[in-house]
Amino acid sequence: MRKPIHFVTADEAVQAVKSGDHVHLSSVASAPKVLIEALCRRGESGEIRNVRIHHLHTEGEAPYTDPKFEGIFFHQAFFVGANVRKSVQSGYSDYIPVLLSETQKLYRCGALPCDVAMIQVCPPDKHGFVSLGTSVDATLAAIECAKTVIAVVNPHVPRAWGQAMIPMDMIDIFVEDDTPLMPAHFSEPDEVETAIGRHCAALIEDGACLQMGIGAIPNAVLAQLGGHRHLGIHTEMFADGVLSLVEKGVIDGSNKGIDKGKLVSTFLMGSQKCYDFIDDNPMVAMMDVGYTNDPYMIAKNPKTTAINSALQVDLTGQVCADSLGTKFYSGTGGQVDFVYGASLSEGGKAIIAMPSCTKKGESKISPVLLQGAGVVTSRAHIHWFVTEYGAVDLYGKSLQERAKLVISVAHPDHREMLEKAAYERFGPHYMHFSL
């Protein structure tokens, strides 16, 4: 029989944070808003200084990145989301380059301290367990390593299964709140994104196990899969796009090599319908990111098909997915984990998909990456590359072959420029080179 919980106010709870502490926040929809607001009030009081805040992407505001908190809070992100992007680019915040699979390792190996973990959980069940709901990722590791764990008990947090379930005795301080989780809204795919989705879907075989990120392109891919059979999900995140395919029986996980029949993820980012779907659903296993993003675990599922996006790709197949030149835009995330894991999977396919041009009409395929741009997926790791103009397989191709293939799926308005750049790079023999 579980013992009753003693609740304190959010302002009382954040008294546990001391100057110089490292604080972890649960991510995406589970960011503990009431604790964040209380911590910022404490920061305004002048009681604390030099507090470092860590998390993956979070939904909603990130008030601790306000320049007025300089010297009080220093945000060091594992991933640069839209709500902290301006702060990171201006230098008020910072970014820790890390594979998503290793965000948990930062805490567990001691490379990064965790003094206080601030999380959200569902109300406890009769056995004294609570669930982390939509955000397991590196949060479970933070809970294990933190000196103090503060949990917001919120009835809107879904009771997710898998490693999301933790005993109450892992928590030191409890706070009550009933603020609904922040939903994520995605735009409908446009003509370009729909074409990309169609090319990606043509590469997905029956029985494939899928990983894909967020946004319009993944939704466009999923919209094309209604005629497929026995698809599975092993991913870092999923959103609403998978729900209709589960309802239709397209996604049943029957061909998976591990976690057969289950949708495996480490965090969610979707609508309330998505959060309701995982509530008390044994079909969904919310797992530690060290499990979901381990390339060798990923590879245990046959036909793993990983679809990830890019900001820029050069003629040799180098993929920049974290920065626009020297300006950080997102992060390494799980792209490398899944590109490598899919390439190790029997019958697997690693796909990088992006529009051929920016909204301003500039080519996203470039002779070379912008100065300062980071290579996330190397030219040695890339396999399939997809734009609205088609899909090309770069694996096993030489530099000159790659240039020809990449240019073939560039926007027609930019192909002449790219051909000229390839000619200047490889010499006159390039022009006589045929695939």
Side-chain angles (χ1 to χ4, degrees):
M1 185 175 179
R2 66 178 177 88
K3 58 185 179 182
I5 300 175
H6 173 66
F7 288 105
V8 301
T9 67
D11 290 294
E12 290 170 330
V14 300
Q15 293 296 314
V17 179
K18 309 300 181 188
S19 293
D21 276 356
H22 288 250
V23 176
H24 175 86
L25 304 179
S26 54
S27 61
V28 197
S30 286
K33 182 179 178 182
V34 66
L35 294 179
I36 292 170
E37 293 171 346
L39 186 63
C40 288
R41 286 194 293 271
R42 186 145 190 251
E44 289 174 338
S45 73
E47 297 176 26
I48 49 176
R49 294 190 63 81
N50 301 320
V51 173
R52 301 193 188 205
I53 297 176
H54 310 288
H55 57 71
L56 281 79
H57 169 71
T58 57
E59 289 290 288
E61 296 180 358
Y64 42 83
T65 63
D66 191 302
K68 71 181 181 181
F69 289 120
E70 187 171 16
I72 298 172
F73 302 125
F74 187 40
H75 172 238
Q76 296 172 304
F78 300 152
F79 187 86
V80 183
N83 60 348
V84 300
R85 190 170 294 140
K86 181 179 178 181
S87 180
V88 171
Q89 292 179 354
S90 64
Y92 285 106
S93 298
D94 208 353
Y95 164 62
I96 299 175
V98 61
L99 300 175
L100 191 61
S101 61
E102 294 193 358
T103 53
Q104 49 79 31
K105 186 178 179 181
L106 291 177
Y107 292 132
R108 288 177 171 136
C109 78
L112 193 66
C114 186
D115 298 292
V116 180
M118 295 184 175
I119 66 175
Q120 279 207 97
V121 299
C122 74
D125 62 21
K126 64 182 181 181
H127 303 293
F129 280 77
V130 294
S131 176
L132 298 172
T134 62
S135 174
V136 179
D137 46 70
T139 297
L140 182 59
I143 293 168
E144 293 170 358
C145 299
K147 297 173 184 175
T148 304
V149 178
I150 306 173
V152 176
V153 179
N154 188 335
H156 295 284
V157 173
R159 184 175 179 268
W161 289 41
Q163 289 176 293
M165 298 292 282
I166 63 170
M168 286 170 53
D169 59 14
M170 294 183 75
I171 299 166
D172 301 294
I173 302 172
F174 294 90
V175 174
E176 280 186 296
D177 188 42
D178 63 355
T179 303
L181 300 188
M182 182 77 68
H185 302 288
F186 307 110
S187 60
E188 287 297 313
D190 60 21
E191 184 178 348
V192 169
E193 292 157 343
T194 299
I196 293 170
R198 187 165 54 249
H199 293 310
C200 289
L203 296 174
I204 298 172
E205 302 175 44
D206 287 345
C209 186
L210 305 181
Q211 175 266 333
M212 55 188 67
I214 59 176
I217 289 177
N219 287 343
V221 176
L222 291 166
Q224 306 283 336
L225 300 179
H228 281 62
R229 301 178 61 203
H230 305 308
L231 299 180
I233 297 290
H234 182 111
T235 185
E236 62 199 34
M237 67 82 57
F238 68 82
D240 294 59
V242 306
L243 304 189
S244 63
L245 295 179
V246 173
E247 292 168 358
K248 294 175 182 176
V250 173
I251 293 175
D252 61 13
S254 60
N255 196 48
K256 294 180 69 176
I258 56 173
D259 304 310
K260 196 177 291 289
K262 294 187 180 295
L263 283 73
V264 174
S265 185
T266 195
F267 66 88
L268 294 183
M269 187 173 170
S271 70
Q272 186 61 48
K273 182 180 179 182
C274 190
Y275 306 151
D276 291 342
F277 172 75
I278 73 164
D279 184 46
D280 207 22
N281 186 348
M283 185 181 183
V284 179
M286 298 296 294
M287 304 296 284
D288 187 292
V289 72
Y291 179 84
T292 60
N293 284 53
D294 180 340
Y296 297 98
M297 298 305 296
I298 294 165
K300 290 184 178 181
N301 287 308
K303 298 183 181 180
T304 291
T305 304
I307 302 173
N308 289 277
S309 61
L311 297 172
Q312 190 180 37
V313 173
D314 76 4
L315 292 180
T316 70
Q318 293 189 116
V319 178
C320 175
D322 62 356
S323 66
L324 298 169
T326 59
K327 296 289 187 181
F328 274 88
Y329 188 83
S330 54
T332 302
Q335 183 172 122
V336 177
D337 299 328
F338 276 94
V339 165
Y340 189 46
S343 70
L344 295 176
S345 164
E346 182 180 354
K349 293 173 184 171
I351 301 169
I352 299 295
M354 72 174 193
S356 65
C357 292
T358 67
K359 297 295 184 183
K360 296 180 179 180
E362 299 169 345
S363 181
K364 296 180 71 170
I365 297 171
S366 303
V368 295
L369 299 180
L370 289 172
Q371 184 175 356
V375 176
V376 172
T377 294
S378 75
R379 58 171 70 99
H381 284 98
I382 193 170
H383 284 227
W384 285 92
F385 176 52
V386 176
T387 74
E388 69 271 29
Y389 293 101
V392 291
D393 187 2
L394 305 183
Y395 188 65
K397 303 298 192 296
S398 71
L399 297 178
Q400 294 184 43
E401 289 174 316
R402 284 167 179 240
K404 288 282 189 183
L405 289 168
V406 168
I407 292 170
S408 75
V409 294
H411 193 286
D413 291 350
H414 299 291
R415 290 179 189 174
E416 183 178 350
M417 174 273 293
L418 294 170
E419 286 284 5
K420 181 179 178 182
Y423 175 83
E424 292 173 351
R425 180 169 187 166
F426 299 116
H429 50 276
Y430 169 77
M431 297 302 293
H432 305 291
F433 192 91
S434 59
L435 295 174

